Amino acid sequence: MSEIIQSGGEVMWVLVVMSVVALTVLMERLIVLHRAPGEDEIERALNEVEQIVKQSGEKAAAEHCAQGRGFVNYVFLALMKRFDVLVLEERDADDMRDELVMTTTASSRKYLGRFLLVLSTIATVAPLLGLLGTILGMITAFESIARAGTGDPQVVASGISVALLTTAGGLIIAIPSLIFYRYLATRAEAIVERAELYFHAFGNTLIKTHSAS
């Protein structure tokens, strides 16, 4: 394997680094999405934080969420931070509700879709780098042919073989990266759709609690 990588030249080493990054992102995102709570867990968390808001106020609820970790606490905190800004801006209830809906979507996708752009970029760039490596390899191969002449077919065959290694390497990296990017993005979107109803309910609780105070 090391001989193949070395034969591919500097571009192949770049592809190796990209493959490591892609694998790291894939594993990290799989863990995060696997830990995403189900509807029952989200509902329990919602009931808990709503109770804190009603009994002790928004500040206590924010401290409670800050002590926790994970997707639900992240979005709850984002909603409370945005709500505080809306209160300072003296927005009306309908405007607040619309803003909190957008905050729910944005913060949910930011948490669940973090680093997915890296995976998408690798899927796009890897074949191009592979092609670049092949072109550079072909140039080197033709230079060897020019020096050795066309009488030796081994010179031509070995040069072209080495040149094509980077194209193969780029495709080997790009195809799984694209597949897993699509999978992770689809799964993240499904989690967002499953959870947004509860986050909208929390936004309504913040508005109602503020209006009653």
Side-chain angles (χ1 to χ4, degrees):
M1 179 63 71
S2 61
E3 293 180 359
I4 294 176
I5 294 173
Q6 290 174 359
S7 299
E10 295 179 357
V11 174
M12 184 65 83
W13 285 107
V14 175
L15 290 172
V16 169
V17 172
M18 292 177 68
S19 69
V20 172
V21 173
L23 183 60
T24 302
V25 171
L26 171 61
M27 297 304 295
E28 190 270 345
R29 285 295 91 189
L30 284 174
I31 292 172
V32 168
L33 295 179
H34 178 71
R35 291 177 177 174
E39 290 191 41
D40 292 341
E41 189 176 349
I42 297 173
E43 186 174 5
R44 287 195 297 270
L46 171 64
N47 293 334
E48 185 176 2
V49 74
E50 282 184 332
Q51 194 69 19
I52 296 173
V53 169
K54 293 174 182 177
Q55 293 182 350
S56 305
E58 184 189 335
K59 183 177 180 181
E63 292 175 352
H64 169 77
C65 292
Q67 292 174 356
R69 303 176 66 180
F71 170 55
V72 174
N73 286 317
Y74 179 86
V75 179
F76 281 159
L77 278 173
L79 287 170
M80 284 185 277
K81 288 178 181 178
R82 182 58 182 157
F83 178 73
D84 289 342
V85 173
L86 296 174
V87 170
L88 291 174
E89 293 176 350
E90 298 182 350
R91 303 281 192 96
D92 59 49
D94 290 337
D95 198 6
M96 284 184 174
R97 190 171 290 106
D98 291 339
E99 288 287 336
L100 293 179
V101 167
M102 289 188 289
T103 300
T104 293
T105 303
S107 58
S108 297
R109 288 176 176 169
K110 180 180 179 181
Y111 185 90
L112 296 174
R114 187 177 297 163
F115 304 130
L116 287 187
L117 184 59
V118 174
L119 204 59
S120 175
T121 302
I122 289 174
T124 302
V125 173
L128 299 178
L129 277 175
L131 180 60
L132 173 62
T134 294
I135 292 173
L136 295 175
M138 293 292 285
I139 292 172
T140 302
F142 282 119
E143 287 177 350
S144 299
I145 293 171
R147 288 194 300 268
T150 57
D152 187 357
Q154 290 185 352
V155 174
V156 180
S158 62
I160 295 176
S161 172
V162 170
L164 292 175
L165 284 176
T166 54
T167 295
L171 292 174
I172 289 171
I173 295 169
I175 294 172
S177 295
L178 180 60
I179 291 172
F180 281 111
Y181 165 74
R182 297 291 187 187
Y183 167 74
L184 293 172
T186 301
R187 187 170 175 184
E189 192 63 29
I191 295 172
V192 171
E193 292 177 359
R194 183 176 68 202
E196 62 183 359
L197 177 65
Y198 301 95
F199 294 135
H200 295 337
F202 180 64
N204 289 332
T205 297
L206 292 174
I207 295 170
K208 291 177 182 177
T209 303
H210 175 71
S211 300
S213 60

